[in-house]
Amino acid sequence: MKRRDVIKSLAILPVSGAVGGTLNPESFSPTPKAKRKSVYESLGVKPMLNARGTVTVIGASKVLPEVREAMEAAIDEYVQIDELMDGVGKRLGEIMGTESGCVTAGASAAITAGTAGCVTGGDPDKIWMIPNITGMKDEVVVPSYSRSAYDAGCKAVGVRMVQVSNVEELKNALGPRTAMVYLLAGAGSNSGPLSLKIISEITKPLGIPILIDAAAEGPENPNPHIQQGADLVAYSGGKFMRGPQCAGLLVGRKDLIMAARMNTGPHHGFGRGFKVGREEIIGMLTAAEMWFKRDHVAERKLWTTRLETIAQKLKSIPGITTSIRQPTGRSNPAPGLTVAWDKSSIPYIGQDVEDLLWTGTPRISIGAAGSYFQPNQRTSVSVDSSQMDDGDEKVVANRLYEILSKPTPVSRPSGPAAADLSGQWDVETKYYAATVKQTFMIQQTGNDLKGTYIGHIGSRDLVGSINGNDVVIRSTYGVDGARVHSFFNGKLVGDTLQGHLSVGEYGEGTWIAKRHVFKMS
């Protein structure tokens, strides 16, 4: 098929949830290319085998071959972006059973654009005032179950998040300053005291729109969230839809879609940085079209078969148990394999296995290796096969077999504490371009540490240990959707603690702590 014919062919794809012809599972992975030097290795960056799933920090998913071809076809010609968005919006509405839709720079950008649309209504005077939204509808109501790192997409506009936990609090929170209600798709929005249906029955008479964050889902026609009362729904393009990673969708009411679009590129003002190019727009539309053509039953069967191959390879190792988890609900519709072991036979924790795979050759990403989550203290790891190419499952199986069948002793700090760290410590932390003052309040029992870590954003609990002079302190701040993980590793040197700090996705730093000296007046 000629590249320009790809765009013409989009209109003949199914426009409902009906599946077209059955696809060969082999086609779910791009055609293997001849072995060549990695574009990443030429930069000194090590590529990896993805056995973790559609996680953004490792590249999410591989775009469909049809999406690649459509994006290449789009590059060949110029087009007026607003006219393209009009045409794509109409087509998205047809295939998703909504009034309209638009392509955004990811699901988070869809949330930001949707929020800005609800705040400004598309009024250019108000658009140019963002993030100073004084005098506008400047509050977004959010159920407590929906607080997460992703509501930062709302807060970017300058709104205040008003958290509610029950119907009475919801009714009291709604008012003339309410721009919209934000919900995270999942169990809480599907059922319970503050489900989407219950909330919409309260908000509809007031004319207050609802935006659903369904980033990890695939679209359906009719759209289940719109049916239950949502006005806008945000999707990620780079997860299971296998569109461009830096693209997403916002679908729903046409008036709100248009208002949201005015707060994104190519328009100037607050949303200029959220622009998408013609190739991402066409690529994202193609991914949406293909979602309704793909054989999802065959895909899941293929993913499960790959996990079974890994489990079969590992079953002969003493102390190993495996189990395959099938997904429930709409989000993250991929099976997972849990590999667990008896620590008396295999002296590893899960993080040890993740690290060995991460630092090995080929580099393999499973679980949370190389990211910002808490270290895996369990004696198990999880494998996701949905983003593997054919044959990758054998590579993963062989590496896991090598690691788990011939474990080596792990050296860990041990021995009695060299000192009692109980008390207040003044901490100086150096980040990339800042040096900040923080505080540890520590209570020590034997080798164990607990207490309070006080940083700029607020206080949080800390836990840790001291073995000899080796000190580890961990702390997480998760209030109001924030997600800040701090891992202090260091040594006691004289009366000073010092070492390296990892703050996960936000990089690293160094730290030094000294006992606080209380001055008598």
Side-chain angles (χ1 to χ4, degrees), residues 1-8 68-76:
M1 181 181 293
K2 294 180 180 179
R3 290 182 296 176
R4 290 177 182 172
D5 290 339
V6 172
I7 297 177
K8 296 177 183 178
R68 296 187 189 190
E69 192 171 2
M71 292 178 71
E72 188 175 355
I75 292 171
D76 278 348

Side-chain angles (χ1 to χ4, degrees), residues 421-426 439-442 514-518:
L421 303 185
S422 298
Q424 179 174 331
W425 293 76
D426 298 326
T439 302
F440 290 154
M441 302 292 292
I442 298 175
K514 298 180 180 179
R515 286 189 184 274
H516 182 78
V517 177
F518 292 92

Side-chain angles (χ1 to χ4, degrees), residues 119-373:
V119 168
T120 67
D123 179 348
D125 283 16
K126 293 179 179 179
I127 290 171
W128 274 102
M129 290 175 65
I130 293 175
N132 178 8
I133 55 176
T134 303
M136 304 182 210
K137 295 180 178 181
D138 60 356
E139 294 180 347
V140 170
V141 175
V142 55
S144 55
Y145 67 77
S146 288
R147 292 313 301 267
S148 74
Y150 303 108
D151 61 35
C154 300
K155 291 186 285 187
V157 179
V159 299
R160 184 173 74 93
M161 304 300 289
V162 180
Q163 183 172 316
V164 297
S165 300
N166 54 54
V167 169
E168 182 179 0
E169 289 182 2
L170 171 66
K171 290 180 177 179
N172 290 335
L174 299 175
R177 297 178 63 179
T178 307
M180 69 177 201
V181 176
Y182 168 76
L183 295 179
L184 193 63
S189 67
N190 291 332
S191 61
L194 282 177
S195 68
L196 169 57
K197 187 175 185 300
I198 290 174
I199 292 175
S200 67
E201 290 173 350
I202 297 170
T203 58
K204 287 296 182 186
L206 301 175
I208 297 173
I210 299 173
L211 188 156
I212 291 283
D213 176 0
E217 294 185 6
E220 299 177 47
N221 188 343
N223 188 287
H225 306 298
I226 298 294
Q227 282 191 313
Q228 293 182 69
D231 300 275
L232 293 170
V233 186
Y235 294 99
S236 170
K239 294 187 182 295
F240 288 95
M241 291 180 70
R242 290 183 61 183
Q245 184 180 355
C246 293
L249 295 174
L250 185 66
V251 300
R253 276 174 44 186
K254 186 173 182 178
D255 60 335
L256 294 178
I257 292 294
M258 292 303 297
R261 276 178 49 188
M262 297 306 104
N263 288 275
T264 64
H267 309 294
H268 292 90
F270 163 77
R272 177 73 174 182
F274 295 109
K275 62 186 176 183
V276 286
R278 62 193 188 280
E279 57 271 32
E280 285 89 8
I281 296 170
I282 290 298
M284 193 62 249
L285 174 61
T286 305
E289 296 272 13
M290 288 302 300
W291 179 265
F292 293 103
K293 189 176 180 68
R294 287 159 56 183
D295 188 334
H296 299 288
V297 173
E299 285 183 324
R300 186 175 295 185
K301 181 178 179 181
L302 175 64
W303 299 340
T304 300
T305 298
R306 288 172 178 164
L307 297 179
E308 290 171 345
T309 297
I310 298 171
Q312 180 68 21
K313 176 72 176 181
L314 302 178
K315 73 175 187 178
S316 63
I317 303 175
I320 289 285
T321 58
T322 61
S323 60
I324 294 177
R325 312 178 308 276
Q326 292 296 340
T328 58
R330 296 186 177 94
S331 293
N332 297 305
L337 171 68
T338 298
V339 180
W341 56 88
D342 182 349
K343 198 170 183 180
S344 63
S345 302
I346 301 173
Y348 291 142
I349 60 173
Q351 193 64 46
D352 296 328
V353 177
E354 292 178 10
D355 290 344
L356 287 167
L357 290 170
W358 182 257
T359 57
T361 301
R363 169 179 277 183
I364 299 173
S365 178
I366 65 171
S371 188
Y372 47 83
F373 296 99

Side-chain angles (χ1 to χ4, degrees), residues 15 76 131 218 334 340 354 383 413 430 478 511:
V15 297
D76 278 348
E354 292 178 10
V383 179
K430 292 185 178 180
W511 63 285

